[in-house]
């Protein structure tokens, strides 16, 4: 490299003066190894279930955070970037980017590996074990063989007509034409664990970088890879110890490294701790910190034209001719690894509240809004001190005011007030302890202290109710948002706010949950107690009237008011409700005791659970159905649910991202898909169609499909199986000796019909 990286271009720290280095053992030309260990290469053997047909989830759209770059691949004018939330396609000719982050294309959006085969297909691996293919014409297919076997794909390498798949549980040969695994290994030599991090081929030798060293198969020209007995762990030769993350061709040989490392223009570059990129020039060692948040995750040499640097901070860099020393590229889209809560505005916009744990707080942590097309970030990075500190943990409180703005309670960052129409952000400072200087900050001006608010609600009179954690002077604030608060004004109406729950029996350390029903009753839960109160329209002047206090309501995780006016509560004791106009607590269901959240809409409860996905509970029939990983969710661990009645959508926040599920214009039932058979032109010999069976879509629960020849003879009968809450499906694989011709498929009960043509 000509000179050190000019870090001032990206506003990063200056170079470190020194770093420990050692030279490689395996080298054929002069090269420097930076803070890494040399090994030389090895492999794994494991049994994988046969590859499934391409997978698609028709009514679930998943959104994951593309903050971490896991792999690069360049071919022609395109740089492919595999991220934790989808695929970036970077056009190097015109320097434009497009992003594929659809859960319908990638059931698991956490993409981990890339390779290209001789036919021009791009192969993509995922953390949960999916293998995806993108054809040269831009068509996608998904294969779930390794997902079903519980493998997490870590690396891919196209070689000799197969795709070599490395994973945490072994290594496999995948046939890209048949879409099946043909050789599998779950043991490698004497390694105690078969994890594979990286794959490389040099000469006629296949190398694996494993968790315990290097494994390799040599003499592939004499005995091809596809003929090796992968079930025998003794076929692998090994060398070295410790994890291997990279192989580098140093000219006539390979070197193995424990960190992301590559050779670029005669210099060896390596990722180091603290987001530093290290390299040596002569006796000088350079180690600038180019990533201020997180780490360098990938290095890729684009034919000595550019060095590509991946990070876990939602951007990547390039280093090359005709560019500034380091050029930064931001990855667009939803950026929260986890959302603590989702809420839907009256206009249908989705708001996602951040979950971040100090000190792992990044620039992209903030409140996100999705209008159906574009994600918008409201945070310190975009609004500076207007937004201020995002908080230490998560944000759980949220309420919409009548002007369309949202009030968001955070864990340490007080209450954020965001107006998407005016594009403004302010802060309502609540503090803690004996803090009394309540204020509304604009432009970051004023006293700002740590303050936690877990619950926010808006009532029909236009007041905002705000909980305050660990306050000695009252854990509930009522505020008139039309005005700025006046903290030392003794006239409560002129002060524009008033504190409540200042004395026993209402006084409590915290209020975890707030809700308001159509009668104007306000429900405040905290410390296993539920207070129910109301006001006469002016709580600042006239205070509140407590209807009742439930001293031992149990542990509640969430509550919501349904269209029937009842308050629905979920927690360790199951599902309960307080009907409108009553003060009695009724048990709805005492078996659902792992609930984390609830949304009540049109006689249906959408209940998120910690381990079982989302439960759809019909209040009239008591029928329950689940939406989980088997029907398209990225995870069964649910943090929050919210219903968009305007657009007929259910939004689900999981620990793997956010999902949107089409439920129709009513919570009760989404429109049933029409009956259809795919493919309806089928080759019995398997010579023409690309599908292994004929699939009947749009069936009703418990139905069946009978297939008749034109003479009325029954040819086959198949039973429908559950696919989603709105659709069941059935599959029929015609026998190879099925007589070619026209067949009629009839659904029973119902009598719906569709035509199928069987070819030779």
């Amino acid at each position: 490299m000509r000179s050190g990286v000019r870090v001032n271009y990206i506003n990063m720290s200056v170079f470190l003066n020194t770093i420990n280095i050692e030279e490689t053992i395996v080298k054929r030309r002069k090269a420097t190894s930076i803070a890494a260990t040399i090994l030389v290469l090895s492999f794994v053997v494991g049994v994988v279930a046969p590859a499934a047909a391409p997978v698609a989830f028709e009514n679930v759209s998943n959104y994951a955070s593309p903050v971490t770059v896991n792999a690069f691949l360049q071919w022609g004018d395109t740089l492919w970037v595999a991220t934790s939330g989808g695929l970036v396609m970077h056009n190097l000719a015109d320097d434009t980017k497009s992003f594929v982050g659809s859960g319908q294309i990638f059931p698991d959006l956490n993409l981990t590996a890339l390779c290209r085969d001789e036919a021009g297909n791009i192969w993509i691996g995922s953390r949960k074990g999916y293998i995806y293919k993108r054809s040269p014409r831009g068509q996608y297919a998904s294969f779930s063989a390794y997902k079903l076997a519980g493998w997490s794909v870590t690396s891919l390498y196209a070689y000799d007509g197969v795709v070599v798949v490395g994973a945490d549980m072994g290594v496999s040969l995948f046939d890209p034409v048949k879409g099946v695994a043909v050789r599998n290994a779950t043991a490698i030599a004497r390694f105690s664990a078969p994890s594979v991090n990286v794959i490389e081929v040099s000469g006629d030798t296949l190398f694996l970088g494993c968790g315990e060293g290097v494994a390799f198969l040599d003499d592939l020209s004499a005995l091809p890879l596809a003929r090796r007995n992968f079930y025998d762990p003794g076929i692998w030769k090994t060398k070295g110890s410790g994890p291997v993350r990279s192989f580098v061709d140093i000219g006539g040989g390979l070197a193995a490294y424990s960190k992301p490392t590559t050779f670029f223009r005669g210099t060896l570059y390596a990722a180091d701790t603290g987001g530093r990129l290290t390299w040596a020039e002569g006796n000088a060692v350079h180690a600038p910190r180019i990533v201020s948040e997180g780490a360098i995750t990938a290095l890729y040499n684009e034919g000595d034209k550019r060095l590509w640097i991946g990070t876990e901070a939602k951007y990547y860099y390039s280093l090359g001719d005709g560019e500034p020393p380091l050029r930064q590229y931001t990855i667009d889209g939803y950026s929260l690894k986890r959302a603590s809560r989702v809420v839907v505005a009256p206009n249908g916009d989705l708001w996602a509240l951040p979950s971040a744990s100090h000190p792992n707080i990044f620039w992209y942590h903030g409140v996100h809004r999705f209008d159906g097309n574009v994600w918008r970030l409201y945070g310190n990075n975009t609004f500076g001190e207007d937004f201020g500190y995002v908080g230490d943990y998560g944000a759980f409180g949220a309420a919409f005011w009548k002007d369309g703005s949202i009030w968001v309670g955070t864990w340490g960052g007080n209450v954020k007030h965001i107006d998407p129409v005016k594009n403004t952000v302010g802060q309502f400072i609540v503090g803690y302890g004996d803090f009394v200087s309540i204020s509304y900050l604009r432009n970051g001006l004023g006293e700002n202290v740590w303050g936690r608010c877990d619950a926010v609600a808006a009532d029909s009179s236009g007041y905002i109710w705000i909980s305050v954690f660990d306050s000695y002077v009252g854990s509930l604030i009522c505020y008139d948002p039309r005005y700025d608060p006046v903290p030392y004004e003794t006239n409560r109406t002129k002060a524009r706010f008033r504190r409540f729950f200042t004395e026993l029996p209402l006084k409590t350390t915290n209020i975890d949950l707030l809700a308001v029903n159509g009668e104007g009753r306000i429900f405040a839960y905290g410390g296993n107690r539920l207070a129910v109160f109301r006001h006469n329209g002016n709580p600042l002047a006239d205070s509140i009237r407590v209807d009742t206090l439930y001293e031992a309501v149990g542990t509640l995780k969430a509550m919501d008011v349904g269209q029937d006016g009842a308050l629905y509560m979920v927690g360790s004791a199951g599902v309960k409700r307080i009907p409108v106009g009553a003060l009695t607590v009724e048990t709805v269901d005492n078996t659902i005791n792992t609930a984390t959240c609830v949304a009540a809409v049109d006689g249906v409860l959408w209940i998120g659970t910690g381990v079982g996905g989302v439960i759809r509970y019909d209040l009239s029939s008591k029928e329950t159905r689940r939406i989980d990983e088997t029907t398209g969710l990225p995870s069964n661990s649910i943090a929050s649910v919210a219903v968009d009645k305007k657009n007929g959508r259910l939004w689900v926040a999981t620990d793997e991202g956010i999902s949107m599920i089409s439920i129709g214009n009513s919570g009760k039932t989404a429109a049933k898909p029409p009956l259809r058979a795919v493919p309806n032109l089928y080759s019995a010999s398997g010579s023409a169609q690309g599908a292994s069976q004929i699939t009947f879509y749009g069936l009703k629960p418990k139905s069946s499909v009978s297939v008749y020849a034109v003479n009325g003879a029954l040819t086959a009968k198949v039973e429908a199986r559950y696919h989603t809450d709105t659709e069941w499906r059935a599959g029929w694989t015609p026998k190879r000796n099925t007589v070619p011709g026209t067949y009629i498929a009839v659904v029973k009960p119902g009598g719906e019909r569709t035509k199928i043509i069987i070819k030779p």
Side-chain angles (χ1 to χ4, degrees):
M1 190 173 136
R2 295 162 296 174
S3 61
V5 176
R6 274 174 39 203
V7 293
N8 59 337
Y9 172 73
I10 53 169
N11 240 358
M12 297 294 178
S13 306
V14 296
F15 299 151
L16 292 182
N17 292 326
T18 60
I19 188 170
N20 294 328
I21 62 173
E22 57 181 293
E23 291 192 351
T24 61
I25 299 172
V26 182
K27 62 179 183 179
R28 302 294 173 85
R29 68 184 186 193
K30 185 177 180 181
T32 305
S33 168
I34 301 171
T37 305
I38 300 304
L39 307 168
V40 194
L41 324 174
S42 183
F43 203 162
V44 186
V45 180
V47 180
V48 178
V55 179
F57 299 106
E58 294 189 352
N59 68 336
V60 179
S61 297
N62 296 323
Y63 301 88
S65 174
V67 298
T68 301
V69 172
N70 293 315
F72 293 105
L73 175 68
Q74 176 266 330
W75 186 261
D77 289 333
T78 302
L79 178 75
W80 309 85
V81 187
T83 79
S84 56
L87 181 68
V88 177
M89 293 177 289
H90 188 151
N91 189 318
L92 301 175
D94 58 15
D95 203 26
T96 59
K97 303 192 302 292
S98 59
F99 181 71
V100 180
S102 169
Q104 294 182 340
I105 293 177
F106 301 132
D108 175 22
L109 287 162
N110 194 339
L111 310 182
T112 56
L114 293 163
C115 75
R116 181 183 181 275
D117 65 22
E118 294 179 352
N121 299 303
I122 301 296
W123 292 90
I124 308 159
S126 88
R127 184 174 64 85
K128 289 189 175 180
Y130 285 98
I131 298 291
Y132 310 115
K133 180 180 75 171
R134 186 186 190 276
S135 74
R137 304 180 71 174
Q139 298 173 321
Y140 289 88
S142 173
F143 304 89
S144 59
Y146 305 102
K147 154 75 173 174
L148 298 174
W151 287 26
S152 178
V153 176
T154 57
S155 52
L156 298 172
Y157 196 99
Y159 176 75
D160 198 21
V162 298
V163 175
V164 185
V165 178
D168 62 337
M169 296 178 64
V171 69
S172 173
L173 302 184
F174 184 82
D175 187 324
V177 177
K178 297 179 180 179
V180 296
V182 293
R183 292 285 189 278
N184 309 290
T186 54
I188 302 174
R190 295 182 178 180
F191 290 160
S192 62
S195 61
V196 177
N197 301 318
V198 62
I199 303 169
E200 185 61 75
V201 172
S202 181
D204 67 347
T205 302
L206 171 74
F207 296 96
L208 302 180
C210 302
E212 299 176 40
V214 180
F216 60 98
L217 290 176
D218 53 14
D219 295 329
L220 295 181
S221 57
L223 186 60
L225 193 60
R227 293 174 55 191
R228 298 297 178 104
N229 181 10
F230 273 35
Y231 299 100
D232 178 10
I235 67 174
W236 301 99
K237 300 177 182 179
T238 66
K239 189 168 184 177
S241 61
V244 175
R245 290 283 309 279
S246 301
F247 291 123
V248 178
D249 185 350
I250 58 174
L254 287 182
Y257 298 88
S258 59
K259 300 176 181 178
T261 307
T262 193
F263 211 69
F264 178 65
R265 296 180 180 174
T267 299
L268 198 67
Y269 289 82
D272 206 350
T273 57
R276 300 184 184 278
L277 180 67
T278 62
W279 73 94
E281 288 182 303
N283 294 324
V285 177
H286 304 275
R289 184 180 183 185
I290 69 168
V291 183
S292 61
E293 300 169 315
I296 295 174
T297 55
L299 295 176
Y300 181 79
N301 183 353
E302 184 202 336
D304 263 2
K305 184 176 181 181
R306 278 173 287 226
L307 174 64
W308 293 94
I309 305 166
T311 78
E312 58 178 359
K314 207 172 182 285
Y315 49 77
Y316 56 96
Y317 294 103
S318 68
L319 173 69
D321 287 337
E323 299 178 351
L326 270 182
R327 185 173 180 186
Q328 186 185 87
Y329 302 88
T330 300
I331 303 172
D332 298 326
Y334 174 70
S335 59
L336 291 178
K337 291 184 178 179
R338 291 187 180 184
S340 56
R341 187 178 177 190
V342 288
V343 289
V344 177
N347 68 350
D349 286 0
L350 172 77
W351 292 79
L353 311 191
S355 177
S357 180
H358 183 80
N360 299 314
I361 299 174
F362 294 90
W363 66 267
Y364 50 78
H365 281 126
V367 179
H368 287 63
R369 177 173 65 92
F370 183 59
D371 63 5
N373 295 302
V374 178
W375 288 96
R376 176 73 187 275
L377 168 65
Y378 299 87
N380 187 270
N381 179 264
T382 51
F383 284 86
E385 290 306 312
D386 283 0
F387 186 90
Y389 181 49
V390 70
D392 307 334
Y393 180 57
F396 303 99
F400 296 99
W401 202 51
K402 57 188 178 182
D403 65 351
S405 63
I406 186 174
W407 296 77
V408 177
T410 71
W411 188 302
N414 294 282
V415 181
K416 312 300 183 185
H417 178 214
I418 304 170
D419 189 326
V421 177
K422 297 178 181 178
N423 196 34
T424 58
V425 176
Q427 300 181 72
F428 188 80
I429 307 302
V430 299
Y432 71 101
D434 57 2
F435 181 82
V436 294
S437 300
I438 299 297
S439 62
Y440 186 99
L441 299 189
R442 294 177 179 83
N443 303 318
L445 300 177
E447 183 180 7
N448 196 344
V449 299
W450 189 94
R452 171 180 159 187
C453 167
D454 288 341
V456 185
D459 66 25
S460 58
S461 298
Y463 293 97
I464 299 291
W465 297 82
I466 297 169
S467 74
V468 185
F469 174 77
D470 197 22
S471 173
Y472 306 156
V473 289
S475 55
L476 183 64
I477 292 175
C478 177
Y479 171 53
D480 185 346
R482 297 176 297 173
Y483 310 97
D484 285 354
V486 184
Y488 297 103
E489 173 61 58
T490 57
N491 183 308
R492 291 171 175 135
T493 301
K494 293 181 179 180
R496 312 302 184 187
F497 75 95
R498 181 170 179 171
R499 292 183 182 271
F500 293 98
F501 290 27
T502 58
E503 303 290 340
L504 294 174
L506 296 178
K507 189 173 183 179
T508 180
T509 301
N510 191 34
I511 295 173
D512 303 297
L513 306 169
L514 283 169
V516 183
N517 72 2
E519 291 182 303
R521 273 185 170 149
I522 301 173
F523 302 85
Y525 168 80
N528 289 337
R529 301 187 310 169
L530 179 67
V532 184
F533 62 92
R534 65 179 72 197
H535 61 81
N536 65 0
N538 189 352
L540 301 186
D542 301 329
S543 192
I544 61 175
R545 184 177 80 246
V546 177
D547 290 335
T548 191
L549 177 65
Y550 301 94
E551 289 284 0
V553 74
T555 301
L556 298 182
K557 292 295 185 179
M559 56 189 191
D560 191 30
V561 175
Q563 272 70 37
D564 59 358
L567 177 75
Y568 292 90
M569 304 169 285
V570 296
S572 58
V575 182
K576 297 180 180 297
R577 72 177 161 206
I578 300 176
V580 64
L583 293 174
T584 56
V585 178
E586 301 176 351
T587 297
V588 177
D589 187 290
N590 59 9
T591 65
I592 304 173
N593 53 21
T594 61
T596 57
C597 50
V598 64
V601 178
D602 291 343
V604 170
L605 299 182
W606 300 94
I607 304 169
T609 69
V611 295
V614 177
I615 298 173
R616 180 189 181 277
Y617 187 96
D618 190 303
L619 289 166
S620 59
S621 68
K622 309 298 182 183
E623 181 185 15
T624 61
R625 293 184 181 178
R626 288 188 184 269
I627 304 173
D628 54 23
E629 291 184 24
T630 65
T631 52
L633 289 184
S635 169
N636 286 336
S637 178
I638 311 300
S640 180
V641 292
V643 174
D644 173 9
K645 285 196 64 179
K646 179 180 179 181
N647 298 300
R649 298 167 176 168
L650 173 70
W651 289 95
V652 181
T654 76
D655 62 353
E656 296 281 349
I658 289 178
S659 297
M660 181 189 73
I661 303 167
S662 298
I663 59 173
N665 292 322
S666 166
K668 284 191 173 293
T669 312
K672 189 181 78 66
L675 173 67
R676 68 187 194 278
V678 179
N680 61 3
L681 179 61
Y682 185 90
S683 171
S685 66
S687 62
Q689 85 282 351
S692 60
Q693 66 176 9
I694 297 173
T695 301
F696 300 95
Y697 296 80
L699 303 178
K700 295 179 180 179
K702 312 294 184 181
S703 61
S704 64
V705 178
S706 297
V707 181
Y708 297 91
V710 290
N711 62 3
L714 178 65
T715 302
K717 181 179 180 180
V718 290
E719 301 294 329
R721 295 182 179 275
Y722 176 86
H723 181 69
T724 71
D725 278 357
T726 60
E727 181 185 16
W728 287 44
R729 295 179 179 179
W732 174 44
T733 303
K735 297 179 180 179
R736 297 181 67 90
N737 61 356
T738 300
V739 178
T742 300
Y743 291 78
I744 304 298
V746 181
V747 179
K748 298 180 180 180
E752 294 173 277
R753 300 185 176 207
T754 188
K755 183 170 64 174
I756 305 166
I757 298 176
I758 304 295
K759 295 178 59 179

